C-alpha cells in the first residue's frame, strides 16, 4: 500500500468516521457470536506419525481400541493398608463416584488389578477412561468431582485426582492475565500520553481488533486445529502489538496537531507515516509466525495461522478504526490531562544519544559483553514437556503425583509403552533385554492384542519424566531394540520425541524468518547493511532472552519469586514459538526508529544528526510501547500454566533487552561507527527494488 493510498484511506475513515466505527462494532459482535456458536475446539495432540512414539500410539490405538483414550487417575494413600475393611469401603465409594461421572466409560479399581497397589499396600490408584477428549470434559463437572474427592479424604486416608481434564480446571491457560495486562497498558499509556482520552483510543482499537482476531482464530480452527494455549498466546501478542501500533499513530497525530495541522490533515499525516510503519512492522510479525508453518507440526500451523489473524486484525484496526476515532476526538485528544506543563527542556533521549555517539566503541564492547553473559546459559538449554511434577504444589494433580511416586517409585509417571509386532518379534526376549538395562525398575508381562498382531510391555524407569537420565534410557532402549519390530512409546517418549523434533526444526524456522525479514527490511530501509545489522541485533537480544529463560526455569534463579513451582527443562514448544514471534516484535522498534532516522537523514544529510533526531523523536514512544509489551507478557506469570509462563517471561526479557540495550545503545553506536555506509545501496538493487518507505 503506497503512502497516497494510505492517505486516501485515512481521509475516508476520517470523513466516514461514524460508519467505520459502526462497521467495526458490528463486525466484532458478529465474529464473537459466530465463534461462540461455530468455533472449533482445541487440539492438544503433540505426537506425530513421523516419530517412533507416534507410530507406537497409532499401533496401540488400532489394535487396543480404547487403550489410548484420555483418562483421569485417582490416587489414594492410607496410613493403614488398603486391605483394611474400613479403608476398602472408603476407596470403593470414591471409585464408584468416579465410575458414575458423566463421560467416564470404565474404571480400573486398585482392587481389580494387583499392580495398582504398591508393595507396602499403603498406596494405590484407579484409572477412569473417558469417552471424550479431556478438552471436551465439562469443567463444572470435573470441578465438582475434585471437590467430592477432597471431601472423601481425612482420618488417615488421602485422595487426589490427576490427568489432563484435571489440569484444565486447576491450571487453565487464561486466568487474570488479560485483565491485568490491559490495566497495566492503560496506566503506561496514561503516563506516556498524559491524557485519559488519548489513553483510551489505543485500548479501544486493540480490544476490537483482538475480538475480531480471536474469533477468526476460533472459526479457522476447523481447518487449522490449534492447542488450548493458542488463544492465550494470540491475545497476549495481539494486545501488545495492537496497543503499540495505535500508540505510534496517536503520538504522530498529536505531534502533527501541535505543529498546527488541522485534525483531518493530522490524521492523514499520522496514518501515511506511522501507519505505514505499522503495516511493515506487522508484516514482519506475520512473517515470523509464518515460519512456524515449516515445522510440519499440525498444532503449530493452527497456532501460527490463529496468531497471525489476530495481528492482522489489530493492524487493520490501527489504520482504519483509529483514524475514525481520531476524527471523533479531534482537538479534544488532550482533554482530561494528567501532566503538569513544564518549561521546554532538551529531551533526555537527545542527551543520551550524544553520550552514546561520543563513545561508540566503548558502548558496543560493554553491551556485547553484557549480552554475551546473559546469553551464556542458553548453551545448557534442555527441552521437555510439563507433567504432574511441574504443577503448582497446591494442586490435586501434584498431590497425586507425589503420592504415586512415593508409593511406586520415581518413574511411575514416566512409564513407557513398548510395542512388539507379532509374530516377527519375541516379546519375552525383548522384555529380558530391556530389564537388563540400567535405569529400568520393572517390565510388565507382555499383553497381546486380541488379533495377535502386537504385544505391549509397560516399562517403568527408575527416574522421573523431567530427569535427563530418563531421556538417556529411552535412547538406550531404542538402540538395544534397533533392527527389531519394536517401537518405544508412551507419554514420556512422546515428550522426548517432540522435544527432539522441535530442536531439529528450529534452524529451518530461523533461516526462513531471518531471510524473509531481511528482504522486507531492505525494501523499507533501502540499505542492505542496515537490514543485516538489524537482523544481527535481533538475534543477540533473542539469545539473551533464551539465556535468562534457562537460568530461571532450569537453574532456578529467582524461580520461586517468578511463581515457577520447581526447576524443570524448558517446555519444548516455547523456543520454537519464541524465536519467530520475538524476531517479528523486535523488528517493530527497528522499523519505527530507523525509518524515523532515515526520514531525518533524507532531510539533513548527516548521519550523527539524523540518529540524534530520530532517537529524540521516538525514544519516549518506543519506551512506552516496550513497557506495555513487557507488562502484557509478564501478566501471564500470574497464571498456572508453566509453558505459557515460560513464554511470557522469555518474550518480556527479549523486549526489555531490545528496547533498552539494543535500541538505545547498540543501534546508535553501530550507526555512528558505520557512518555514511549505513545508507549504501547498490545501483542495480535500487533499480530493481520496489520503492517503499516505512516512515514513523
Amino acid at each position: 500500500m503506497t503512502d497516497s493510498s494510505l492517505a486516501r484511506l485515512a481521509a475516508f475513515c476520517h470523513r466516514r468516521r461514524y460508519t467505520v466505527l459502526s462497521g467495526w462494532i458490528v463486525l466484532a459482535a458478529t465474529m464473537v457470536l459466530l465463534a461462540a456458536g461455530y468455533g472449533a475446539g482445541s487440539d492438544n495432540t503433540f505426537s506425530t506419525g513421523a516419530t517412533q512414539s507416534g507410530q507406537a500410539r497409532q499401533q496401540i490405538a488400532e489394535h487396543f481400541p480404547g487403550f489410548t483414550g484420555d483418562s483421569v487417575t485417582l490416587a489414594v494413600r492410607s496410613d493403614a493398608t488398603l486391605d483394611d475393611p474400613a479403608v476398602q469401603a472408603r476407596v470403593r465409594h470414591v471409585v464408584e463416584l468416579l465410575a458414575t461421572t458423566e463421560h467416564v466409560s470404565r474404571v480400573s479399581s486398585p482392587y481389580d488389578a494387583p499392580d495398582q497397589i504398591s508393595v507396602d499396600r499403603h498406596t494405590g490408584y484407579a484409572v477412569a477412561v473417558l469417552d471424550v477428549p479431556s478438552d471436551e470434559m465439562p469443567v463444572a463437572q470435573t470441578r465438582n468431582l475434585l471437590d467430592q474427592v477432597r471431601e472423601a479424604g481425612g482420618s488417615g486416608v488421602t485422595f487426589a485426582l490427576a490427568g489432563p481434564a484435571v489440569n484444565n480446571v486447576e491450571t487453565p491457560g487464561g486466568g487474570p492475565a488479560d485483565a491485568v495486562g490491559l490495566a497495566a497498558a492503560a496506566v503506561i499509556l496514561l503516563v506516556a500520553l498524559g491524557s485519559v482520552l488519548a489513553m483510551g483510543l489505543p485500548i479501544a482499537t486493540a480490544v476490537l481488533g483482538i475480538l475480531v482476531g480471536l474469533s477468526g482464530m476460533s472459526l479457522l480452527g476447523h481447518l487449522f486445529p490449534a492447542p488450548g494455549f493458542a488463544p492465550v498466546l494470540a491475545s497476549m501478542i495481539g494486545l501488545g502489538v495492537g496497543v503499540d501500533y495505535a500508540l505510534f499513530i496517536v503520538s504522530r497525530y498529536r505531534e502533527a496537531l501541535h505543529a498546527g495541522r488541522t485534525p483531518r490533515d493530522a490524521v492523514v499525516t499520522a496514518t501515511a507515516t506511522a501507519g505505514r510503519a505499522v503495516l511493515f512492522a506487522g508484516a514482519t510479525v506475520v512473517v515470523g509466525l509464518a515460519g512456524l508453518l515449516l515445522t510440519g507440526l499440525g498444532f503449530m500451523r493452527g497456532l501460527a495461522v490463529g496468531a497471525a489473524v489476530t495481528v492482522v486484525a489489530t493492524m487493520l484496526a490501527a489504520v482504519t478504526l483509529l483514524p475514525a476515532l481520531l476524527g471523533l476526538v479531534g482537538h479534544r485528544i488532550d482533554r482530561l490531562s494528567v501532566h503538569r506543563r513544564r518549561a521546554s527542556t532538551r529531551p533526555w533521549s537527545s542527551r543520551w544519544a550524544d553520550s552514546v555517539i561520543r563513545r561508540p566503541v566503548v558502548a558496543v564492547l560493554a553491551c556485547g559483553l553484557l549480552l554475551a553473559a546473559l546469553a551464556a546459559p542458553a548453551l545448557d538449554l534442555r527441552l521437555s514437556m510439563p507433567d504432574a511434577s511441574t504443577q503448582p504444589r497446591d494442586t490435586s494433580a501434584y498431590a497425586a503425583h507425589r503420592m504415586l511416586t512415593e508409593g511406586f517409585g520415581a518413574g511411575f509417571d514416566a512409564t513407557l509403552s513398548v510395542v512388539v509386532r507379532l509374530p516377527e518379534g519375541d516379546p519375552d526376549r525383548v522384555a529380558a533385554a530391556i530389564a537388563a538395562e540400567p535405569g529400568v525398575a520393572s517390565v510388565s508381562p507382555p499383553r497381546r492384542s486380541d488379533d495377535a498382531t502386537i504385544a505391549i510391555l509397560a516399562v517403568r524407569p527408575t527416574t522421573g519424566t523431567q530427569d535427563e537420565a530418563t531421556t538417556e534410557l529411552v535412547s538406550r532402549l531404542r538402540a538395544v531394540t534397533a533392527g527389531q519390530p519394536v517401537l518405544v512409546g508412551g507419554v514420556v517418549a512422546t515428550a522426548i520425541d517432540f522435544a527432539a523434533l522441535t530442536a531439529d526444526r528450529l534452524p529451518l524456522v530461523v533461516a526462513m524468518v531471518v531471510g524473509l525479514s531481511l528482504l522486507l527490511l531492505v525494501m523499507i530501509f533501502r540499505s542492505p547493511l542496515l537490514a543485516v545489522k538489524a537482523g544481527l541485533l535481533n538475534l543477540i537480544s533473542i539469545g539473551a532472552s533464551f539465556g535468562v529463560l534457562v537460568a530461571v526455569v532450569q537453574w532456578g534463579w529467582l524461580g520461586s519469586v517468578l511463581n515457577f513451582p520447581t526447576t524443570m527443562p524448558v517446555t519444548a514448544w516455547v523456543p520454537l514459538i519464541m524465536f519467530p514471534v520475538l524476531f517479528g516484535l523486535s523488528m517493530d522498534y527497528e522499523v519505527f526508529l530507523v525509518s524515523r532516522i532515515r526520514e531525518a537523514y533524507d532531510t539533513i544529510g548527516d548521519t550523527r544528526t539524523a540518529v540524534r533526531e530520530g532517537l529524540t523523536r521516538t525514544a519516549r514512544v518506543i519506551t512506552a510501547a516496550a513497557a506495555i509489551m513487557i507488562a502484557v507478557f509478564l501478566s501471564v506469570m500470574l497464571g498456572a500454566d508453566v509453558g505459557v509462563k515460560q513464554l511470557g517471561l522469555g518474550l518480556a526479557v527479549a523486549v526489555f533487552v531490545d528496547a533498552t540495550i539494543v535500541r538505545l545503545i547498540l543501534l546508535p553506536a553501530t550507526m555512528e561507527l558505520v557512518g555514511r555506509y549505513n545508507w549504501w545501496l547498490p545501483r542495480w538493487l535500487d533499480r530493481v527494488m520496489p520503492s517503499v518507505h516505512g516512515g514513523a
Side-chain angles (χ1 to χ4, degrees):
M1 187 177 284
T2 62
D3 291 347
S4 58
S5 58
L6 263 180
R8 289 194 298 271
L9 176 64
F12 171 82
C13 293
H14 181 273
R15 185 172 63 254
R16 303 289 186 184
R17 44 191 174 272
Y18 291 104
T19 302
V20 173
L21 176 58
S22 300
W24 266 97
I25 293 174
V26 170
L27 174 63
T30 303
M31 292 291 289
V32 169
L33 290 174
L34 287 173
Y38 304 101
S42 59
D43 182 1
N44 293 308
T45 302
F46 294 95
S47 63
T48 170
T51 63
Q52 192 172 140
S53 59
Q55 294 168 14
R57 180 182 176 85
Q58 291 172 358
Q59 289 286 314
I60 295 172
E62 180 179 348
H63 299 287
F64 287 89
F67 192 84
T68 58
D70 286 353
S71 62
V72 173
T73 299
L74 169 68
V76 56
R77 172 75 183 178
S78 172
D79 292 343
T81 67
L82 296 184
D83 302 310
D84 183 279
V87 175
Q88 267 200 58
R90 296 177 65 182
V91 173
R92 291 187 186 278
H93 170 69
V94 178
V95 170
E96 183 62 24
L97 280 177
L98 203 56
T100 55
T101 299
E102 187 181 359
H103 296 305
V104 171
S105 60
R106 68 178 188 275
V107 178
S108 172
S109 167
Y111 300 109
D112 298 335
D115 61 343
Q116 290 181 208
I117 297 181
S118 62
V119 174
D120 64 6
R121 311 297 291 177
H122 287 278
T123 306
Y125 66 94
V127 179
V129 178
L130 306 179
D131 59 13
V132 295
S134 296
D135 291 335
E136 297 179 16
M137 190 73 174
V139 171
Q141 183 176 292
T142 306
R143 184 177 289 113
N144 181 58
L145 182 61
L146 273 167
D147 292 339
Q148 290 180 303
V149 168
R150 287 194 186 99
E151 290 172 2
S155 301
V157 181
T158 305
F159 296 99
L161 289 177
V166 176
N167 295 342
N168 291 341
V169 173
E170 294 190 311
T171 55
D178 289 343
V180 172
L182 196 62
V187 172
I188 295 168
L189 283 171
L190 188 60
V191 172
L193 297 176
S195 161
V196 174
L197 197 55
M199 172 269 289
L201 297 183
I203 296 292
T205 303
V207 167
L208 280 176
I210 291 170
L211 286 176
V212 172
L214 290 181
S215 300
M217 178 183 192
S218 178
L219 294 171
L220 285 170
H222 293 288
L223 298 175
F224 305 98
F229 62 83
V232 180
L233 172 64
S235 61
M236 182 169 62
I237 296 173
L239 182 59
V241 300
V243 173
D244 278 10
Y245 293 164
L247 169 62
F248 282 111
I249 294 177
V250 169
S251 299
R252 194 66 185 256
Y253 171 78
R254 296 175 76 200
E255 185 180 318
L257 277 184
H258 296 162
R261 302 283 186 92
T262 64
R264 178 195 176 280
D265 290 342
V267 167
V268 171
T269 299
T271 307
T273 52
R276 170 152 296 282
V278 163
L279 293 180
F280 276 101
T284 59
V285 177
V286 172
V287 165
L289 291 167
L292 296 176
L293 299 176
L294 297 178
T295 62
L297 302 173
F299 85 95
M300 280 293 182
R301 287 196 296 270
L303 180 65
V305 171
V309 166
T310 305
V311 171
V312 169
T314 59
M315 288 165 53
L316 294 178
V319 296
T320 57
L321 173 61
L322 185 56
L325 293 175
L326 290 172
L328 292 172
V329 172
H331 282 292
R332 297 188 300 275
I333 194 166
D334 289 326
R335 291 281 181 88
L336 304 176
S337 176
V338 297
H339 280 181
R340 296 178 59 185
R341 297 190 179 277
R342 299 177 181 178
S344 178
T345 58
R346 187 185 179 197
W348 67 267
S349 51
S350 177
R351 300 192 298 273
W352 177 265
D354 282 342
S355 64
V356 172
I357 289 172
R358 281 197 299 270
R359 301 176 183 83
V361 176
V362 174
V364 170
L365 290 177
C367 289
L369 291 173
L370 175 60
L371 292 174
L374 290 175
L379 298 174
D380 190 38
L381 176 66
R382 285 183 58 224
L383 301 177
S384 183
M385 292 292 286
D387 70 333
S389 70
T390 63
Q391 292 287 77
R393 294 324 191 223
D394 59 349
T395 60
S396 175
Y398 178 74
H401 158 79
R402 190 185 67 252
M403 286 191 288
L404 293 175
T405 52
E406 289 175 355
F408 294 90
F412 177 84
D413 289 342
T415 300
L416 304 170
S417 297
V418 177
V419 176
V420 183
R421 191 170 67 247
L422 304 175
E424 297 93 334
D426 183 345
D428 293 319
R429 289 184 59 186
V430 172
I434 290 176
E437 283 295 310
V440 174
S442 65
V443 181
S444 71
R447 177 178 177 180
R448 290 173 169 80
S449 61
D450 292 338
D451 59 7
T453 302
I454 65 171
I456 303 177
L457 304 171
V459 179
R460 187 168 294 169
T462 58
T463 51
T465 302
Q466 305 300 332
D467 199 310
E468 195 168 4
T470 305
T471 303
E472 295 170 355
L473 174 63
V474 171
S475 298
R476 289 203 311 274
L477 294 185
R478 287 174 173 171
V480 167
T481 58
Q484 301 181 53
V486 175
L487 298 170
V488 179
V491 175
V492 67
T494 298
I496 292 168
D497 287 345
F498 180 73
L501 195 61
T502 54
D504 290 341
R505 302 292 169 86
L506 186 58
L508 180 62
V509 173
V510 170
M512 184 269 192
V513 171
V514 173
L516 289 182
S517 298
L518 290 183
L519 288 177
L520 274 175
L521 290 176
V522 169
M523 288 191 293
I524 296 170
F525 299 150
R526 304 193 71 76
S527 167
L529 186 59
L530 279 179
V532 171
K533 184 152 59 70
L536 290 176
L537 292 178
N538 288 347
L539 289 174
I540 290 171
S541 62
I542 293 171
S545 70
F546 278 22
V548 172
L549 192 61
V550 169
V552 172
V553 175
Q554 287 183 207
W555 297 357
W557 294 5
L558 298 178
S560 59
V561 175
L562 294 172
N563 198 26
F564 286 103
T566 183
T567 58
M568 68 192 89
V570 174
T571 301
W573 51 261
V574 167
L576 196 61
I577 295 174
M578 269 181 63
F579 180 83
V581 171
L582 284 177
F583 203 85
L585 294 179
S586 297
M587 288 302 180
D588 287 359
Y589 305 129
E590 186 78 21
V591 169
F592 287 120
L593 175 56
V594 176
S595 59
R596 199 62 183 262
I597 293 174
R598 179 70 198 233
E599 185 180 323
Y601 179 80
D602 290 341
T603 302
I604 302 168
D606 177 70
T607 298
R608 175 175 291 188
T609 306
V611 170
R612 182 189 303 113
E613 177 73 11
L615 199 59
T616 299
R617 290 188 174 275
T618 61
R620 179 184 177 88
V621 179
I622 286 178
T623 301
I628 289 169
M629 278 204 183
I630 292 168
V632 169
F633 294 152
L634 287 180
S635 67
V636 301
M637 303 301 292
L638 299 174
D641 189 309
V642 293
V644 173
K645 290 200 295 187
Q646 291 173 22
L647 183 65
L649 175 63
L651 293 174
V653 170
V655 170
F656 175 79
V657 169
D658 188 79
T660 54
I661 299 173
V662 173
R663 300 298 156 219
L664 294 181
I665 304 177
L666 277 179
L667 180 63
T670 53
M671 291 191 76
E672 169 66 15
L673 290 174
V674 175
R676 61 187 178 88
Y677 293 104
N678 283 298
W679 321 109
W680 171 76
L681 179 67
R683 291 183 180 178
W684 65 268
L685 185 58
D686 189 26
R687 289 193 301 269
V688 302
M689 190 170 56
S691 179
V692 295
H693 300 284

